[in-house]
Amino acid sequence: LSVEDGTIPQSLLRELQNIDELEKKFIFCLSKTNLKPKGDLSLILENIKESLELEFDYTNDIVLLDDNSGESLKKILKNIDYEELFQSLFIEQLKGIYFDIDSTLNIKIATLRNTNEEAQKAINELQNGVKKIRAKQESTIADVKEKYSSQNIEAIINAIATELLKNQETLTNMALHNPDGLSVEINEILTSKLLSEIKRRLESVSDRVINEFNIEINNSLRDISNFSLDADWVNKLSQNMKAILKLSQQGLDKLGTIADSKKNNAIYKTIASILGITTTILNPILEVVILFLPEIISKLTKASQEQKIKETFIQKLHAEIIPSIKVKVREVLPEIYNEQVKSLVTQIAQTFEKELQQKEQEIQGTLKAKEENIKDGEKEIDRLLSIKNELKEITTKTLYEEV
């Protein structure tokens, strides 16, 4: 923010709110501080600190930048907590990788300890589990749409209207002093609110869907808990999936890239489609809104005399602009939202399915090795247990203990 602005504009506050909702940290910088006397700078700084603390509980120092770009860059870099940055970017992925490796070791150890008949039973149960997931997928899509789509769509539309009303004063001032920028401001408000509301509600739906598949898989695998495919494994798998989804929403369109680099880990392939919210959902809606909004505002400014603009705008905002936006969003949002719900359920189902198929392959691979290569089963079990314990010790120290 430039010191010349004096206060944090609404557009920047909305961007910070989006960052805050994604549970990401930010560093706030005040530039061009050399252009203000120290007294004025102190007042501006104090007002900005109060705003940031009130809105975001932000208590870090504000970085003051002047006309020395090299020193300014050093100040910004100095304020980055690299340990915290690393953890926010990679900690959940590393925990997921540990979970996968530990699970694979458990499967191999269990296969070596149990008889071939018990291993074949586990394979059969895993195959049946995959069939049940496939059967449940379509019914879950229909059930989620019936239970949640209508109420969520209306809630999103109403949230947009409420947000526009909350910004009534800002919009009125723009109608008076910057009518050309009014459409841009309304679209920014619409974009920000749509993004946060859709993400929040899809995340809630995803949690419910994951929990439903969790129950289905637990029921399918309850007879083969001796292969470490018990409720604890299914619950951890579900928790990891939720964590990866939440982490991926912080990068929106970047989950696809993550998934491509994790082809052997099904969890990282989840829910890529819903994370393209900006293009798949917002753009079609905004295209419709942008087309009709200038026409409404143009009529408003032409029909109003200067002294009547404020009253006329407020009336138009309540009676025409917001209702028109609600109508247009309601026309395009249901189809797009329901498509995202379908994609969400499909991705979750496929993730669970691939995890079960992976465990089946691990059992089959261990059985083959047991028959062809492993002469001393107990010695191999001891070796795998040693690896498992060493990995657990390293992981506990690096990923779970307080630094």
Side-chain angles (χ1 to χ4, degrees):
L1 178 71
S2 170
V3 73
E4 295 174 306
D5 293 325
T7 58
I8 306 175
Q10 285 296 318
S11 57
L12 180 54
L13 277 175
R14 284 193 291 272
E15 291 298 323
L16 294 176
Q17 284 166 356
N18 289 338
I19 294 172
D20 190 56
E21 285 177 3
L22 293 170
E23 298 183 12
K24 299 293 269 182
K25 302 287 185 179
F26 62 85
I27 297 173
F28 197 91
C29 303
L30 192 61
S31 65
K32 300 183 180 179
T33 56
N34 56 298
L35 300 180
K36 290 286 184 180
K38 288 187 178 179
D40 293 347
L41 178 60
S42 296
L43 288 174
I44 293 170
L45 188 60
E46 189 62 33
N47 288 334
I48 291 174
K49 280 183 178 179
E50 288 179 6
S51 296
L52 291 175
E53 187 169 358
L54 179 65
E55 294 284 343
F56 312 108
D57 197 27
Y58 185 89
T59 56
N60 294 339
D61 291 335
I62 295 174
V63 181
L64 302 180
L65 308 176
D66 50 28
D67 56 350
N68 188 330
S69 58
E71 288 300 317
S72 296
L73 179 59
K74 288 181 182 179
K75 286 182 181 179
I76 295 172
L77 295 176
K78 187 178 180 181
N79 277 270
I80 296 175
D81 186 331
Y82 294 103
E83 182 69 30
E84 184 178 0
L85 178 62
F86 177 84
Q87 292 204 18
S88 68
L89 291 174
F90 302 115
I91 196 75
E92 292 302 333
Q93 295 180 46
L94 291 173
K95 287 179 180 179
I97 292 170
Y98 165 68
F99 171 77
D100 287 343
I101 296 173
D102 185 65
S103 175
T104 298
L105 290 170
N106 287 336
I107 285 288
K108 290 184 176 182
I109 291 168
T111 304
L112 292 171
R113 282 177 171 169
N114 287 280
T115 64
N116 288 2
E117 290 75 16
E118 288 171 321
Q120 188 57 52
K121 179 185 176 182
I123 290 172
N124 293 339
E125 292 296 333
L126 287 166
Q127 291 173 344
N128 288 333
V130 169
K131 291 177 183 177
K132 289 180 180 179
I133 289 172
R134 290 174 179 172
K136 187 177 177 60
Q137 180 177 321
E138 289 303 318
S139 64
T140 301
I141 291 171
D143 186 54
V144 169
K145 286 182 180 179
E146 181 181 352
K147 286 183 178 179
Y148 307 117
S149 288
S150 295
Q151 67 186 47
N152 278 346
I153 288 167
E154 281 305 307
I156 291 167
I157 293 169
N158 290 332
I160 291 169
T162 300
E163 191 66 19
L164 288 169
L165 288 173
K166 280 171 60 178
N167 286 271
Q168 176 177 291
E169 183 177 351
T170 300
L171 296 174
T172 304
N173 287 332
M174 292 201 74
L176 285 166
H177 306 297
N178 183 21
D180 291 339
L182 190 55
S183 291
V184 174
E185 184 71 14
I186 290 176
N187 286 326
E188 284 186 1
I189 294 170
L190 178 61
T191 302
S192 178
K193 199 61 183 175
L194 271 172
L195 182 63
S196 62
E197 284 294 317
I198 291 172
K199 283 170 53 185
R200 183 167 67 86
R201 294 179 187 281
L202 284 179
E203 184 177 349
S204 176
V205 169
S206 73
D207 284 349
R208 292 190 180 100
V209 172
I210 289 171
N211 290 339
E212 288 185 18
F213 278 104
N214 178 302
I215 294 170
E216 184 72 32
I217 294 169
N218 267 318
N219 291 335
S220 298
L221 304 183
R222 60 188 174 188
D223 293 332
I224 55 172
S225 58
N226 54 326
F227 276 79
S228 298
L229 299 174
D230 52 11
D232 185 54
W233 177 77
V234 178
N235 290 338
K236 285 182 179 178
L237 177 62
S238 299
Q239 289 168 8
N240 282 352
M241 194 183 302
K242 291 177 183 178
I244 292 300
L245 171 60
K246 189 173 183 179
L247 176 68
S248 300
Q249 286 180 330
Q250 297 173 357
L252 290 182
D253 57 347
K254 294 185 179 177
L255 181 59
T257 304
I258 295 173
D260 288 341
S261 64
K262 303 283 183 181
K263 291 188 182 297
N264 294 322
N265 189 336
I267 290 179
Y268 288 90
K269 298 178 182 178
T270 54
I271 320 162
S273 58
I274 65 165
L275 302 178
I277 285 173
T278 303
T279 52
T280 17
I281 294 182
L282 292 185
N283 283 358
I285 296 171
L286 292 178
E287 284 172 6
V288 174
V289 173
I290 288 167
L291 283 175
F292 81 88
L293 191 55
E295 182 180 348
I296 290 177
I297 293 172
S298 175
K299 289 178 181 178
L300 158 68
T301 53
K302 289 178 182 177
S304 302
Q305 298 176 358
E306 184 70 24
Q307 65 270 22
K308 295 288 186 180
I309 287 181
K310 184 172 182 179
E311 294 91 351
T312 304
F313 176 77
I314 292 174
Q315 188 272 328
K316 291 277 187 180
L317 181 67
H318 286 256
E320 291 187 31
I321 295 178
I322 291 177
S324 297
I325 287 175
K326 291 176 70 174
V327 167
K328 294 299 179 181
V329 172
R330 191 176 283 113
E331 287 176 1
V332 294
L333 182 57
E335 181 180 354
I336 298 169
Y337 182 87
N338 286 328
E339 185 61 33
Q340 295 302 307
V341 168
K342 179 180 178 181
S343 177
L344 169 63
V345 175
T346 301
Q347 293 289 345
I348 290 173
Q350 288 177 351
T351 297
F352 279 120
E353 180 183 325
K354 288 174 182 176
E355 286 291 334
L356 297 192
Q357 290 173 335
Q358 182 177 326
K359 295 307 156 192
E360 177 191 341
Q361 292 169 6
E362 288 171 2
I363 293 174
Q364 290 175 336
T366 306
L367 279 177
K368 185 177 181 180
K370 186 178 178 180
E371 293 172 359
E372 297 178 359
N373 303 321
I374 300 174
K375 297 179 181 179
D376 189 337
E378 288 301 320
K379 186 176 180 180
E380 180 64 11
I381 290 172
D382 288 341
R383 186 183 75 84
L384 294 173
L385 283 171
S386 176
I387 294 171
K388 174 181 166 65
N389 292 331
E390 185 176 351
L391 180 64
K392 181 179 180 180
E393 183 179 352
I394 293 171
T395 303
T396 300
K397 288 180 179 179
T398 56
L399 301 183
Y400 292 94
E401 289 184 355
E402 292 288 337
V403 179

